[in-house]
Amino acid sequence: MKRIASIAIGVSASVLALGTMAAVAGPIMYGSAAASPAAVEPSVMPTVREVSPQVAFDDISELSGDWAIADGSEAGYTVDAVVNGSALTVTGTTDHVTGSATVDHSVLTSATIVVEVASITTDNAVRDAYFRGPALDADDFPTALFTLSSPITLSDDLIAGKPVVVAASGELNLHGVSRAVNVSLTASLENGRLSLAGSVPVSFDDYGIAPIDLGFARVDDKGSIDFILTVSPR
């Protein structure tokens, strides 16, 4: 269960992060011109914290039950841009991620993940303000929501402590637009907690977010959502 829940939650968070990527485009016009042209290595590094309970599982069926996203989870975006002829990579992250999942024996039957769009930040306050306003209209659409649409069967390898790659399908609601998405997640189980990591390619046009092109500043019309989540039993 735990594994499944983690996976589902990870998917949601990742999808939600997509909105952030779009927001980056606008802000770059205002504050990125002064940034270093060297590409910044994307990074979403959650804070490691103790999560209780620390449970050991002997059988995949023992994962059954309700799960929730725990502290230490983060979601973010990565998008490339060109400012004054120089290449620039922008990343944003947030730890304001919540969600829940249900596992029935070895099957993840349902999962939802919510990301607070306005809390996503980068290294540029002007860019972040644009993201919350013109780009994603955070006042009208404060959150991004991912809902699992198809059940996921968990592998016994999780119990054995081996990383497992799982394909998840769901619906992402961002900026008032809902679209079907597919995500490849890498899950692992340790000390009763499920860790999930992945990256999801995204097109801004799919969510009604127009790419920025002002001549001196141009943002790619595609980016990626990056996430690292921790899920624990309720």
Side-chain angles (χ1 to χ4, degrees):
M1 284 181 181
K2 296 183 176 180
R3 301 175 178 176
I4 299 178
S6 308
I7 296 177
I9 294 176
V11 175
S12 313
S14 354
V15 178
L16 300 178
L18 298 177
T20 307
M21 300 168 18
V24 175
I28 292 179
M29 310 182 306
Y30 303 96
S32 295
S36 170
V40 178
E41 187 67 20
S43 177
V44 180
M45 297 299 292
T47 300
V48 178
R49 301 166 184 163
E50 274 305 297
V51 176
S52 182
Q54 299 286 302
V55 182
F57 298 97
D58 298 319
D59 187 271
I60 193 68
S61 65
E62 295 179 6
L63 296 179
S64 294
D66 295 325
W67 293 68
I69 293 178
D71 288 346
S73 299
E74 291 189 5
Y77 69 84
T78 298
V79 64
D80 292 328
V82 175
V83 179
N84 291 327
S86 297
L88 178 72
T89 295
V90 179
T91 62
T93 62
T94 180
D95 60 1
H96 290 212
V97 182
T98 59
S100 62
T102 300
V103 178
D104 184 0
H105 288 82
S106 63
V107 179
L108 174 60
T109 59
S110 65
T112 59
I113 296 179
V114 180
V115 175
E116 187 178 296
V117 174
S119 67
I120 297 174
T121 59
T122 65
D123 60 354
N124 188 297
V126 175
R127 179 189 299 125
D128 297 340
Y130 182 90
F131 164 73
R132 300 186 184 99
L136 289 185
D137 301 315
D139 286 343
D140 295 325
F141 309 104
T143 63
L145 170 68
F146 172 83
T147 304
L148 185 69
S149 59
S150 299
I152 299 174
T153 298
L154 301 181
S155 168
D156 289 332
D157 286 342
L158 278 176
I159 298 299
K162 300 177 182 178
V164 175
V165 177
V166 180
S169 297
E171 182 177 88
L172 172 66
N173 183 287
L174 174 68
H175 195 234
V177 178
S178 294
R179 290 208 173 260
V181 295
N182 295 310
V183 183
S184 178
L185 307 174
T186 297
S188 60
L189 182 66
E190 183 177 2
N191 296 325
R193 296 178 298 176
L194 241 182
S195 294
L196 176 63
S199 182
V200 183
V202 178
S203 295
F204 300 142
D205 287 347
D206 289 345
Y207 296 91
I209 301 172
I212 301 300
D213 188 347
L214 299 181
F216 70 90
R218 177 177 57 79
V219 177
D220 287 357
D221 58 2
K222 296 181 180 180
S224 69
I225 301 300
D226 313 306
F227 56 90
I228 296 179
L229 305 175
T230 296
V231 182
S232 60
R234 287 176 178 274

